[in-house]
Every structure is written in C-alpha cells, then in structure tokens.
Coordinates of all heavy atoms in Angstrom, one line a residue:
M220 N 0.8 -1.2 0.0 CA 0.0 0.0 0.0 C 0.9 1.2 0.0 O 2.0 1.2 0.5 CB -0.9 0.0 1.2 CG -2.2 0.8 1.1 SD -3.3 0.4 2.4 CE -4.8 0.4 1.4
N221 N 0.3 2.3 -0.5 CA 1.1 3.6 -0.6 C 1.4 4.1 0.8 O 0.6 4.0 1.7 CB 0.3 4.6 -1.4 CG 1.1 5.8 -1.9 OD1 2.3 5.8 -1.6 ND2 0.4 6.7 -2.6
K222 N 2.5 4.7 1.0 CA 3.0 5.2 2.3 C 2.5 6.6 2.7 O 2.9 7.1 3.7 CB 4.5 5.1 2.5 CG 5.0 3.7 2.5 CD 4.5 3.0 3.8 CE 5.0 1.6 3.8 NZ 4.5 0.8 5.0
H223 N 1.6 7.1 1.8 CA 1.0 8.4 2.1 C -0.4 8.2 2.5 O -1.1 7.3 2.1 CB 1.1 9.4 0.9 CG 2.5 9.6 0.5 ND1 3.4 10.4 1.2 CD2 3.3 9.2 -0.6 CE1 4.6 10.4 0.6 NE2 4.5 9.7 -0.5
C224 N -0.9 9.1 3.4 CA -2.3 8.9 3.9 C -3.3 8.9 2.8 O -3.4 9.9 2.1 CB -2.6 10.0 4.9 SG -4.2 9.8 5.7
Y225 N -4.0 7.8 2.6 CA -5.0 7.7 1.6 C -6.1 8.7 1.8 O -6.6 9.3 0.8 CB -5.6 6.3 1.7 CG -6.9 6.1 0.8 CD1 -6.8 5.9 -0.6 CD2 -8.1 6.1 1.4 CE1 -7.9 5.7 -1.3 CE2 -9.3 5.9 0.7 CZ -9.2 5.7 -0.7 OH -10.3 5.5 -1.5
F226 N -6.5 9.0 3.0 CA -7.6 9.9 3.3 C -7.2 11.3 3.1 O -8.1 12.1 2.6 CB -8.1 9.7 4.7 CG -8.6 8.2 4.9 CD1 -7.8 7.4 5.7 CD2 -9.8 7.8 4.4 CE1 -8.2 6.0 5.8 CE2 -10.2 6.5 4.5 CZ -9.4 5.6 5.3
C227 N -6.0 11.7 3.3 CA -5.5 13.1 3.0 C -5.4 13.3 1.5 O -5.8 14.4 1.0 CB -4.1 13.3 3.7 SG -4.2 13.4 5.5
Q228 N -4.9 12.3 0.8 CA -4.8 12.4 -0.6 C -6.2 12.6 -1.3 O -6.3 13.3 -2.3 CB -4.1 11.2 -1.2 CG -2.6 11.2 -1.0 CD -1.9 10.0 -1.5 OE1 -2.6 9.0 -1.9 NE2 -0.6 10.0 -1.6
E229 N -7.1 11.8 -0.8 CA -8.5 11.8 -1.4 C -9.3 12.9 -0.8 O -10.5 13.1 -1.2 CB -9.2 10.5 -1.3 CG -8.5 9.3 -1.9 CD -8.5 9.4 -3.4 OE1 -9.5 9.9 -4.0 OE2 -7.4 9.1 -4.0
N230 N -8.8 13.7 0.1 CA -9.5 14.8 0.8 C -10.8 14.3 1.5 O -11.9 14.9 1.3 CB -9.8 15.9 -0.1 CG -10.1 17.2 0.6 OD1 -9.8 17.3 1.8 ND2 -10.7 18.2 -0.1
I231 N -10.7 13.1 2.1 CA -11.8 12.5 2.8 C -11.8 13.0 4.3 O -10.8 12.7 5.0 CB -11.8 11.0 2.7 CG1 -11.9 10.6 1.3 CG2 -12.9 10.4 3.6 CD1 -11.7 9.1 1.0
Q232 N -12.8 13.7 4.7 CA -12.9 14.2 6.1 C -13.6 13.2 7.0 O -13.2 13.0 8.2 CB -13.6 15.5 6.2 CG -12.9 16.6 5.4 CD -11.5 16.9 5.9 OE1 -11.2 16.8 7.1 NE2 -10.5 17.1 5.0
Y233 N -14.6 12.5 6.5 CA -15.4 11.6 7.4 C -15.3 10.2 6.8 O -15.6 10.0 5.6 CB -16.9 12.1 7.4 CG -17.8 11.1 8.1 CD1 -17.8 11.1 9.5 CD2 -18.7 10.3 7.4 CE1 -18.6 10.2 10.2 CE2 -19.5 9.5 8.1 CZ -19.5 9.4 9.5 OH -20.3 8.6 10.2
I234 N -14.9 9.3 7.6 CA -14.8 7.9 7.2 C -16.1 7.2 7.6 O -16.3 7.1 8.8 CB -13.6 7.2 7.8 CG1 -12.3 8.0 7.4 CG2 -13.5 5.8 7.4 CD1 -11.1 7.5 8.2
D235 N -16.9 6.8 6.7 CA -18.2 6.2 7.0 C -18.0 4.7 7.3 O -17.4 4.0 6.6 CB -19.1 6.3 5.7 CG -20.5 6.0 6.0 OD1 -20.9 5.9 7.2 OD2 -21.3 5.9 5.0
F236 N -18.6 4.3 8.5 CA -18.5 2.9 8.9 C -19.3 2.0 8.0 O -19.1 0.8 8.1 CB -18.9 2.8 10.4 CG -20.4 3.1 10.6 CD1 -21.3 2.1 10.6 CD2 -20.8 4.4 10.9 CE1 -22.6 2.4 10.8 CE2 -22.1 4.7 11.2 CZ -23.0 3.7 11.1
K237 N -20.2 2.5 7.2 CA -21.0 1.7 6.4 C -20.3 1.3 5.1 O -20.7 0.4 4.3 CB -22.4 2.4 6.1 CG -23.3 2.5 7.3 CD -24.5 3.3 7.0 CE -24.1 4.7 6.8 NZ -24.9 5.7 7.3
N238 N -19.2 2.0 4.8 CA -18.5 1.8 3.5 C -17.4 0.7 3.8 O -16.2 1.0 4.0 CB -17.8 3.1 3.1 CG -17.3 3.0 1.7 OD1 -17.2 1.9 1.1 ND2 -16.9 4.1 1.1
T239 N -17.9 -0.5 3.8 CA -17.0 -1.6 4.2 C -15.9 -1.9 3.2 O -14.9 -2.5 3.5 CB -17.8 -2.9 4.5 OG1 -18.5 -3.2 3.3 CG2 -18.7 -2.7 5.6
E240 N -16.1 -1.5 1.9 CA -15.1 -1.8 0.9 C -13.8 -1.0 1.2 O -12.7 -1.6 1.1 CB -15.6 -1.4 -0.5 CG -16.8 -2.3 -1.0 CD -16.4 -3.8 -1.0 OE1 -15.3 -4.1 -1.4 OE2 -17.2 -4.6 -0.5
I241 N -13.9 0.2 1.7 CA -12.7 0.9 2.0 C -12.1 0.4 3.4 O -10.9 0.3 3.5 CB -13.0 2.4 2.2 CG1 -13.3 3.0 0.8 CG2 -11.9 3.2 2.8 CD1 -13.6 4.5 0.7
L242 N -13.0 0.1 4.3 CA -12.5 -0.4 5.6 C -11.8 -1.7 5.5 O -10.8 -2.0 6.2 CB -13.7 -0.5 6.6 CG -14.4 0.8 6.9 CD1 -15.5 0.5 7.9 CD2 -13.5 1.8 7.5
K243 N -12.2 -2.6 4.6 CA -11.5 -3.9 4.4 C -10.1 -3.7 3.9 O -9.3 -4.6 4.2 CB -12.3 -4.7 3.4 CG -13.6 -5.3 3.9 CD -14.3 -6.1 2.9 CE -15.6 -6.6 3.4 NZ -16.4 -7.4 2.4
Q244 N -9.7 -2.6 3.3 CA -8.4 -2.4 2.9 C -7.4 -2.2 4.1 O -6.2 -2.4 3.9 CB -8.3 -1.2 2.0 CG -9.0 -1.3 0.7 CD -9.0 0.0 -0.1 OE1 -8.4 0.9 0.3 NE2 -9.7 0.0 -1.2
F245 N -8.0 -1.8 5.2 CA -7.2 -1.5 6.4 C -7.3 -2.5 7.5 O -6.9 -2.2 8.6 CB -7.6 -0.1 6.9 CG -7.3 1.0 5.9 CD1 -8.3 1.4 5.0 CD2 -6.1 1.6 5.8 CE1 -8.1 2.4 4.1 CE2 -5.8 2.5 4.8 CZ -6.8 3.0 4.0
I246 N -7.8 -3.7 7.2 CA -7.7 -4.8 8.2 C -7.0 -6.0 7.6 O -7.0 -6.1 6.4 CB -9.1 -5.2 8.6 CG1 -10.0 -5.7 7.5 CG2 -9.9 -4.1 9.4 CD1 -11.3 -6.3 7.9
S247 N -6.3 -6.7 8.4 CA -5.5 -7.8 8.0 C -6.4 -9.0 7.6 O -7.6 -9.0 7.8 CB -4.5 -8.2 9.1 OG -5.2 -8.8 10.2
S248 N -5.7 -10.1 7.2 CA -6.5 -11.3 6.9 C -7.1 -12.0 8.1 O -8.0 -12.8 8.0 CB -5.5 -12.3 6.1 OG -4.5 -12.7 7.0
Q249 N -6.6 -11.6 9.3 CA -7.2 -12.1 10.5 C -8.1 -11.1 11.2 O -8.4 -11.2 12.3 CB -6.0 -12.5 11.5 CG -5.2 -13.6 11.0 CD -3.8 -13.5 11.4 OE1 -3.4 -12.6 12.0 NE2 -3.0 -14.5 11.1
A250 N -8.5 -10.1 10.4 CA -9.5 -9.1 10.8 C -8.9 -8.2 11.9 O -9.7 -7.6 12.6 CB -10.8 -9.7 11.2
K251 N -7.6 -8.0 11.9 CA -7.0 -7.0 12.9 C -6.8 -5.7 12.1 O -6.6 -5.7 10.9 CB -5.7 -7.5 13.4 CG -5.8 -8.8 14.2 CD -4.4 -9.1 14.7 CE -4.5 -10.4 15.6 NZ -3.1 -10.7 16.1
I252 N -6.9 -4.6 12.9 CA -6.7 -3.3 12.3 C -5.2 -3.1 12.1 O -4.4 -3.3 13.0 CB -7.2 -2.2 13.3 CG1 -8.7 -2.3 13.5 CG2 -6.9 -0.8 12.7 CD1 -9.2 -1.4 14.6
L253 N -4.8 -2.8 10.8 CA -3.4 -2.7 10.5 C -2.9 -1.4 11.1 O -3.5 -0.4 11.1 CB -3.3 -2.7 9.0 CG -3.6 -4.0 8.3 CD1 -3.5 -3.8 6.8 CD2 -2.6 -5.1 8.7
P254 N -1.6 -1.4 11.5 CA -1.0 -0.2 12.1 C -0.7 0.9 11.0 O -0.5 0.5 9.8 CB 0.3 -0.8 12.6 CG 0.6 -2.0 11.9 CD -0.7 -2.6 11.5
P255 N -0.6 2.1 11.4 CA -0.3 3.2 10.4 C 1.0 3.0 9.7 O 1.2 3.5 8.6 CB -0.4 4.4 11.2 CG -0.4 4.0 12.6 CD -0.8 2.6 12.7
K256 N 2.0 2.4 10.3 CA 3.3 2.1 9.7 C 3.1 1.3 8.4 O 3.8 1.4 7.5 CB 4.2 1.5 10.7 CG 5.6 1.4 10.3 CD 6.5 1.0 11.4 CE 8.0 1.2 11.1 NZ 8.8 0.8 12.2
R257 N 2.2 0.4 8.5 CA 1.9 -0.5 7.3 C 1.0 0.1 6.3 O 1.2 -0.1 5.1 CB 1.3 -1.8 7.9 CG 1.0 -2.8 6.9 CD 1.8 -4.1 7.0 NE 1.4 -5.0 6.0 CZ 0.8 -6.1 6.2 NH1 0.4 -6.5 7.5 NH2 0.5 -6.9 5.2
T258 N 0.0 0.9 6.7 CA -1.0 1.4 5.8 C -0.6 2.8 5.3 O -1.0 3.3 4.3 CB -2.4 1.5 6.5 OG1 -2.3 2.4 7.6 CG2 -2.9 0.2 6.8
G259 N 0.2 3.6 6.1 CA 0.6 4.9 5.7 C -0.4 6.0 6.1 O -0.2 7.1 5.7
T260 N -1.4 5.7 6.9 CA -2.3 6.7 7.3 C -1.7 7.6 8.4 O -0.9 7.2 9.2 CB -3.6 6.1 7.9 OG1 -3.3 5.2 9.0 CG2 -4.4 5.3 6.8
C261 N -2.2 8.8 8.4 CA -1.7 9.8 9.4 C -2.4 9.5 10.7 O -3.3 8.7 10.8 CB -2.0 11.2 8.9 SG -3.7 11.7 8.8
R262 N -1.9 10.1 11.8 CA -2.4 9.9 13.1 C -3.8 10.2 13.3 O -4.6 9.4 13.8 CB -1.6 10.7 14.1 CG -2.0 10.5 15.5 CD -1.2 11.3 16.5 NE 0.1 10.6 16.7 CZ 1.0 11.1 17.5 NH1 0.8 12.2 18.2 NH2 2.1 10.4 17.6
R263 N -4.3 11.3 12.7 CA -5.7 11.7 12.8 C -6.6 10.7 12.1 O -7.6 10.3 12.7 CB -5.8 13.1 12.2 CG -7.2 13.6 12.1 CD -7.2 15.1 11.6 NE -8.6 15.5 11.4 CZ -9.2 15.5 10.3 NH1 -8.6 15.1 9.2 NH2 -10.5 15.9 10.2
H264 N -6.3 10.4 10.9 CA -7.1 9.5 10.2 C -7.1 8.0 10.7 O -8.0 7.3 10.6 CB -6.8 9.5 8.7 CG -7.3 10.8 8.0 ND1 -6.5 11.7 7.5 CD2 -8.6 11.2 7.9 CE1 -7.2 12.7 7.0 NE2 -8.5 12.4 7.2
Q265 N -6.0 7.7 11.3 CA -5.9 6.3 11.9 C -6.9 6.2 13.1 O -7.5 5.1 13.2 CB -4.4 6.0 12.4 CG -4.2 4.7 13.0 CD -4.4 3.5 12.0 OE1 -4.2 3.7 10.8 NE2 -4.6 2.3 12.5
R266 N -7.0 7.2 13.9 CA -7.9 7.2 15.0 C -9.4 7.1 14.5 O -10.2 6.3 15.0 CB -7.8 8.4 15.9 CG -6.6 8.3 16.8 CD -6.6 9.4 17.8 NE -6.6 10.7 17.1 CZ -5.7 11.7 17.2 NH1 -4.7 11.6 18.0 NH2 -5.8 12.8 16.5
I267 N -9.7 7.9 13.5 CA -11.0 7.9 12.9 C -11.3 6.6 12.2 O -12.4 6.0 12.4 CB -11.2 9.1 11.9 CG1 -11.0 10.4 12.6 CG2 -12.5 9.0 11.2 CD1 -10.9 11.6 11.7
L268 N -10.3 6.0 11.5 CA -10.5 4.7 10.9 C -10.7 3.6 11.9 O -11.6 2.8 11.7 CB -9.2 4.4 10.1 CG -9.1 3.1 9.4 CD1 -10.1 3.0 8.3 CD2 -7.7 2.9 8.8
A269 N -10.0 3.6 13.0 CA -10.1 2.6 14.0 C -11.5 2.6 14.6 O -12.2 1.6 14.8 CB -9.1 2.7 15.1
Q270 N -12.0 3.8 14.8 CA -13.4 4.0 15.4 C -14.4 3.5 14.4 O -15.4 2.8 14.8 CB -13.6 5.5 15.7 CG -14.9 5.7 16.5 CD -14.8 5.0 17.9 OE1 -13.8 5.1 18.6 NE2 -15.9 4.4 18.2
A271 N -14.2 3.8 13.1 CA -15.2 3.3 12.1 C -15.2 1.8 12.0 O -16.2 1.2 11.8 CB -14.8 4.0 10.7
I272 N -14.0 1.2 12.0 CA -13.9 -0.3 12.0 C -14.6 -0.9 13.2 O -15.3 -1.9 13.0 CB -12.5 -0.7 11.9 CG1 -11.9 -0.3 10.5 CG2 -12.3 -2.2 12.1 CD1 -10.4 -0.5 10.3
K273 N -14.4 -0.3 14.3 CA -15.0 -0.8 15.6 C -16.5 -0.7 15.5 O -17.3 -1.6 15.9 CB -14.5 -0.1 16.8 CG -13.0 -0.5 17.1 CD -12.4 0.3 18.2 CE -11.0 0.0 18.4 NZ -10.3 0.8 19.4
R274 N -17.0 0.4 15.0 CA -18.5 0.6 14.8 C -19.1 -0.5 13.8 O -20.1 -1.0 14.1 CB -18.8 2.0 14.3 CG -18.8 3.0 15.4 CD -19.2 4.3 14.9 NE -19.0 5.3 15.9 CZ -18.8 6.6 15.8 NH1 -18.6 7.1 14.5 NH2 -18.6 7.4 16.8
A275 N -18.3 -0.7 12.7 CA -18.8 -1.6 11.7 C -18.8 -3.0 12.3 O -19.7 -3.8 12.0 CB -17.9 -1.5 10.5
R276 N -17.8 -3.4 13.1 CA -17.8 -4.7 13.7 C -19.0 -4.8 14.7 O -19.6 -5.9 14.7 CB -16.5 -4.8 14.6 CG -15.3 -5.1 13.7 CD -14.1 -5.2 14.7 NE -12.9 -5.5 14.0 CZ -11.7 -5.4 14.5 NH1 -11.5 -4.9 15.7 NH2 -10.6 -5.7 13.8
F277 N -19.3 -3.8 15.5 CA -20.4 -3.9 16.4 C -21.7 -4.1 15.7 O -22.6 -4.8 16.2 CB -20.4 -2.6 17.3 CG -21.4 -2.6 18.4 CD1 -21.3 -3.4 19.5 CD2 -22.6 -1.9 18.2 CE1 -22.3 -3.4 20.5 CE2 -23.6 -1.9 19.2 CZ -23.4 -2.7 20.3
L278 N -21.9 -3.5 14.6 CA -23.1 -3.6 13.9 C -23.2 -4.8 13.0 O -24.2 -5.1 12.3 CB -23.4 -2.3 13.0 CG -23.6 -1.1 13.8 CD1 -23.7 0.1 13.0 CD2 -24.9 -1.2 14.6
G279 N -22.1 -5.6 12.9 CA -22.1 -6.8 12.1 C -21.7 -6.7 10.7 O -21.9 -7.6 9.9
L280 N -21.2 -5.5 10.3 CA -20.8 -5.3 8.9 C -19.4 -5.8 8.6 O -19.1 -6.2 7.5 CB -20.8 -3.8 8.6 CG -22.2 -3.1 8.8 CD1 -22.0 -1.6 8.6 CD2 -23.2 -3.6 7.9
L281 N -18.6 -5.9 9.6 CA -17.2 -6.5 9.5 C -17.1 -7.6 10.6 O -17.6 -7.4 11.7 CB -16.1 -5.4 9.7 CG -16.0 -4.4 8.6 CD1 -14.9 -3.4 9.0 CD2 -15.5 -5.1 7.3
P282 N -16.3 -8.6 10.3 CA -16.1 -9.6 11.4 C -15.1 -9.2 12.5 O -14.2 -8.3 12.2 CB -15.5 -10.8 10.6 CG -14.8 -10.1 9.5 CD -15.6 -8.9 9.1
F283 N -15.3 -9.7 13.6 CA -14.3 -9.5 14.7 C -13.1 -10.3 14.5 O -12.0 -9.9 14.7 CB -14.9 -9.9 16.1 CG -15.8 -8.8 16.6 CD1 -17.2 -8.8 16.5 CD2 -15.3 -7.7 17.4 CE1 -18.0 -7.8 17.0 CE2 -16.1 -6.7 17.9 CZ -17.4 -6.8 17.7
T284 N -13.2 -11.6 14.0 CA -12.1 -12.5 13.8 C -12.4 -13.3 12.5 O -13.6 -13.4 12.1 CB -11.9 -13.5 14.9 OG1 -13.1 -14.2 15.1 CG2 -11.5 -12.8 16.2
K285 N -11.4 -13.9 12.0 CA -11.6 -14.8 10.8 C -11.3 -16.2 11.4 O -10.3 -16.4 12.1 CB -10.6 -14.5 9.7 CG -10.7 -13.2 9.1 CD -11.7 -13.2 8.0 CE -11.8 -11.8 7.4 NZ -12.3 -11.8 6.1
R286 N -12.1 -17.2 11.1 CA -11.9 -18.5 11.6 C -11.3 -19.4 10.6 O -11.5 -19.3 9.5 CB -13.2 -19.1 12.2 CG -13.7 -18.4 13.4 CD -14.9 -19.1 13.9 NE -15.5 -18.3 15.0 CZ -16.3 -18.7 15.8 NH1 -16.8 -19.9 15.7 NH2 -16.8 -17.9 16.7

C-alpha cells in the first residue's frame, strides 16, 4: 500500500463505517486493524479509521475475527 495517507490524498474528512469496501483495505487477513506504519495513514485518520472499523464490527458489517 502507498505510504502516504489515503484519506488526506483523497480529501476525505469523514470515514463512513457503512463503507466496508474501504474499511476492508485497512484490516489484515485475521481481521485485525493494520498499524499506520503498514498502511501509511496519518495519526488523525488512523484514529477515525479505527473507530469506524469498531463501529462496523459492532453492527455486524465487519467480522471481529476470521476462523
């Protein structure tokens, strides 16, 4: 993945938890949230991204784990 923040480049201010296609790019094959060192997201967007992934998991849109 590119080492520059995807959300800053695309000028995305709000990360929607219902947009699972974008969120899936930032979780590993074991459904863990990838660190910013691996994804290249900035600190601000990493916090927003983590919150969106957690909301999507709680609502059943994303899995908590892969079996």
Side-chain angles (χ1 to χ4, degrees):
M220 205 167 221
N221 197 0
K222 289 296 178 180
H223 300 288
C224 182
Y225 169 78
F226 301 105
C227 290
Q228 286 179 343
E229 299 294 323
N230 199 18
I231 297 173
Q232 297 299 322
Y233 177 72
I234 302 171
D235 192 11
F236 65 90
K237 293 174 290 216
N238 193 349
T239 58
E240 294 304 315
I241 290 180
L242 297 180
K243 285 179 185 177
Q244 296 175 2
F245 297 95
I246 60 174
S247 70
S248 60
Q249 293 147 357
K251 293 182 179 182
I252 300 172
L253 292 173
K256 193 171 192 176
R257 179 115 180 251
T258 60
T260 55
C261 64
R262 178 180 284 182
R263 175 175 175 260
H264 285 116
Q265 180 69 22
R266 283 190 302 238
I267 298 169
L268 175 68
Q270 190 64 43
I272 290 172
K273 290 174 185 177
R274 282 184 182 149
R276 283 177 177 168
F277 182 74
L278 292 173
L280 302 174
L281 289 176
F283 279 96
T284 59
K285 299 269 179 157
R286 290 185 190 194

